[in-house]
Amino acid sequence: MQGEELDTPSMGGVLDTEFDLTRGSKKELAAAVDAMLESCQESIVDGGAISFPSRSEVAELLEDLRNLIYPGFFGERDSDPGDFADYVRDKTLQVFNKLSVQVSLSVRHGCIESGELCNQCRKLGQAQATRFLQKIPALRKVLMGDVKAAFDRDPAARSLEEIVLSYPGVLAVTIYRLSHELWLQEVPFIPRMMTEYAHSITSIDIHPGATIGSNFFIDHGTGVVIGETTEIGDNVTLYQGVTLGGYGFRRAPDGSLERGYKRHPTIQDGVIIYAGATILGGDTVVGAGSVVGGSVWLTHSVPPKAVVMIKEPDLKYKVGY
Amino acid sequence: MQGEELDTPSMGGVLDTEFDLTRGSKKELAAAVDAMLESCQESIVDGGAISFPSRSEVAELLEDLRNLIYPGFFGERDSDPGDFADYVRDKTLQVFNKLSVQVSLSVRHGCIESGELCNQCRKLGQAQATRFLQKIPALRKVLMGDVKAAFDRDPAARSLEEIVLSYPGVLAVTIYRLSHELWLQEVPFIPRMMTEYAHSITSIDIHPGATIGSNFFIDHGTGVVIGETTEIGDNVTLYQGVTLGGYGFRRAPDGSLERGYKRHPTIQDGVIIYAGATILGGDTVVGAGSVVGGSVWLTHSVPPKAVVMIKEPDLKYKVGY
Amino acid sequence: MQGEELDTPSMGGVLDTEFDLTRGSKKELAAAVDAMLESCQESIVDGGAISFPSRSEVAELLEDLRNLIYPGFFGERDSDPGDFADYVRDKTLQVFNKLSVQVSLSVRHGCIESGELCNQCRKLGQAQATRFLQKIPALRKVLMGDVKAAFDRDPAARSLEEIVLSYPGVLAVTIYRLSHELWLQEVPFIPRMMTEYAHSITSIDIHPGATIGSNFFIDHGTGVVIGETTEIGDNVTLYQGVTLGGYGFRRAPDGSLERGYKRHPTIQDGVIIYAGATILGGDTVVGAGSVVGGSVWLTHSVPPKAVVMIKEPDLKYKVGY
């Protein structure tokens, strides 16, 4: 592009024309645009033009799914039973359409380079979306158990409705449970995009690959990290700042990271883990019914029905400064 | 719904028609929709069609309120004094309208089941909204004290304007102070929805029931948790990751949780609490003018004018690996 | 404003007219509006009508910049090479326009009080925007190094694409690197608004004034705080909850805070800092190649190639409750 081209109509439409650039400024800007154009020939990924699922579409899909899981709580609602049936039907088909397109984009067959999804990709997207929808009714039952667990375990909760409307832990777990099903279906990208969307609005970071049992409750939740290969039983409670993480890395002889092996702990049924506790390592098991106190740092296993607390650390006092 | 019905126009309008589903896929999808419909007959709450305040409306309301509290800082602005008066008047009436509708929805009288708000609910919403608006001028003065406190206590702050434009602590405290007034008016759901909105964009989790004095400053703020029955005096400063939380639960003889009693600490005037400190329990009082160091873990009271620090923990060193 | 004025058409347009306020309620509301009007005469800042950069415009600008830095990953994409060139050109000019307006607003010359930007402010905005655009191609190379560092250091990562699409650490560092260039150009307000936007969606709080070398990776990231005068070398890795913060304040003889001096630590090349570690103070240096373990609390320097871990704290166990 030459500086002169900035005067062409198409440029004028984009440039803010209320104030004129000097001739020198125009040349400088034109050179900057050229440099950008050259730079953008190089991409973070190989292979030229590419296509990916859209973050905003994935976020909208999650809104639609929440409307189906908790009807009446998010946005649209209708009191007429016939209208309600229409609403559920339409919403379900919207989810089907959006999800099948996003799955097709995530697969990224060669067809994408031609700018259009091929029939094979579209079929795969639709099959995955149908399979996913089939699981939602069962998921709804599990999520109702999570909501009730929140009410039973938080003395600040006034009602089940308050929990659905405002608890970030329930929101993060709802999105995790949806994403985990897509993870099991081996859909690329989208499961992680879903849990990172949840992370961005709740500060709770659950990897879609983690396995989590029923009646799960995270209170407050800011800073919680649950790694990819974590296994959590039924009736478990976590508070803010709990890390269930990896400990040390395995490397292949060539120095590259090993991936996929179990690196994160196992938390058995009925465990309670208080704020800021850190539990690390793929061999670490917290036995059923145990309680891990706030700020505990654990890299080894704990037997069932144990209570593990930090020894209250020595403090230095100075009074009457 | 039968598989054939997918061919009806209303379905076609929703279904992505660029690519045809096979006959088998259609049947499968139709069955999934039917299962969803059956599932959605069961709700997390009893009583059929229900209505709640809307998260997006509550978020918009908070945007409008910020425009009134800090005029010129968020979005609309106008330099003509007459236009400015019109702006404030219109914005105030918009807040009145939106808030009165949301309060009506939060009350959820029986009338909601008929699909329309009754006059009694509407009147209640309007009375609550007016009562709330009457408090804003006094709140504005308190909030200016909070902004000035941020400037006086953060060496990275360049100006009051920078603080209003970009400090998450000031944003979270602004929303908390608004929500607390609605909490005192006993409006259901909305106060907690407001502070959870703040939580989602600042990672600062303040329960609307907490009591907080003037000139309050939270720096950075990620991970701060302030529980429902916390009491905080004037001129208090908190850093990121501070928890003012509960410690142990009380249960009724039937095993259910007790709710509402004082479970969270009292922080007196002029206290500074550094990053990552955890202070727990309803009987814990941090005396006026005291300093609680980073990472301190406290479940007992501290006298006034005390400095409490962790004994620097022993570290294991290995040099020259 | 008098109560009667509520009946004027302009009010009717704003007021929800489906339900009539009683005469008494109207008076009360009118008085509340008047009080708000009086209150809004007083602003947090001196000088009457003012103008600032817009948070939503800054957020949109960052979206556009991400589209240029990682073309195809966020929203728009196009497979035709000619269309792609048009796309990059248009997007670059959009960024130029938006940024030059926001910079003009951030400068806030006296001209703003007249309600219009003067030519001097507009020229300054355009010059700053051009200067910024000139740096993007070099920044893109640095950011590709950051993305590759994430892949090399996280065993849960499946591909470079997954990292760009979903890793909050990469998002926060992308926005930090952009904001830091504007910080170096001494643009007011906007750099901090950018990093606080990143903070709000990632819970990672990096001050735009910090200096950070190449191949930088933050994993998970919730709760990370990197202060204004922090210096970080090349090939550094941080995990969630790491604080690189200040320690103690300097005050001028008049009691006011000193600002601007080095208050935050120096982290040399190749350092790894695990979750929840806190490193404080402007004289604290972590030597090249050192490893700081999880939850370590450091206010003094560490030599190169050292490993510093907490002594695993004593725990209190009770088994078989």
Side-chain angles (χ1 to χ4, degrees), chain C residues 112-285:
Chain C
I112 301 285
E113 289 183 22
S114 75
E116 265 185 59
L117 289 172
C118 74
N119 278 356
Q120 199 190 336
C121 290
R122 296 178 65 90
K123 266 190 198 163
L124 185 58
Q126 291 176 332
Q128 291 276 31
T130 301
R131 205 172 139 200
F132 176 73
L133 283 175
Q134 288 166 342
K135 301 178 195 166
I136 306 279
L139 264 188
R140 288 188 78 240
K141 285 186 199 294
V142 175
L143 286 165
M144 287 185 199
D146 295 327
V147 173
K148 280 170 190 151
F151 185 73
D152 290 343
R153 300 178 204 163
D154 178 14
R158 311 261 150 151
S159 65
L160 296 176
E161 293 91 328
E162 182 193 22
I163 290 164
V164 174
L165 284 170
S166 56
Y167 273 44
V170 167
L171 174 51
V173 172
T174 299
I175 292 175
Y176 153 76
R177 293 207 188 277
L178 295 165
S179 75
H180 183 62
E181 297 304 326
L182 289 173
W183 174 269
L184 294 175
Q185 293 177 217
E186 302 189 5
V187 171
F189 300 125
I190 299 175
R192 182 69 182 263
M193 291 171 79
M194 286 180 159
T195 56
E196 286 298 337
Y197 173 73
H199 186 190
S200 79
I201 56 175
T202 66
S203 298
I204 295 170
D205 179 353
I206 310 178
H207 195 286
T211 308
I212 301 180
S214 61
N215 303 322
F216 181 55
F217 177 47
I218 302 175
D219 201 4
H220 304 296
T222 308
V224 164
V225 174
I226 300 176
E228 179 188 2
T229 63
T230 306
E231 293 171 79
I232 295 178
D234 297 334
N235 297 305
V236 168
T237 305
L238 307 186
Y239 287 82
Q240 70 270 20
V242 166
T243 293
L244 306 176
Y247 191 55
F249 293 134
R250 286 193 210 153
R251 287 185 183 277
D254 68 353
S256 69
L257 278 186
E258 281 189 41
R259 301 177 196 265
Y261 65 96
K262 180 152 167 67
R263 309 180 300 286
H264 307 98
T266 298
I267 311 297
Q268 295 183 341
D269 294 350
V271 167
I272 303 175
I273 307 177
Y274 284 100
T278 302
I279 304 177
L280 304 176
D283 298 328
T284 304
V285 178

Side-chain angles (χ1 to χ4, degrees), chain A residues 14 39 199 228 259 289 307, chain C residues 97 140 154 158 222 318 321:
Chain A
V14 175
S39 164
H199 187 191
E228 179 187 1
R259 302 178 195 263
V307 179
Chain C
N97 279 329
R140 288 188 78 240
D154 178 14
R158 311 261 150 151
T222 308
K318 202 171 73 177
Y321 57 83

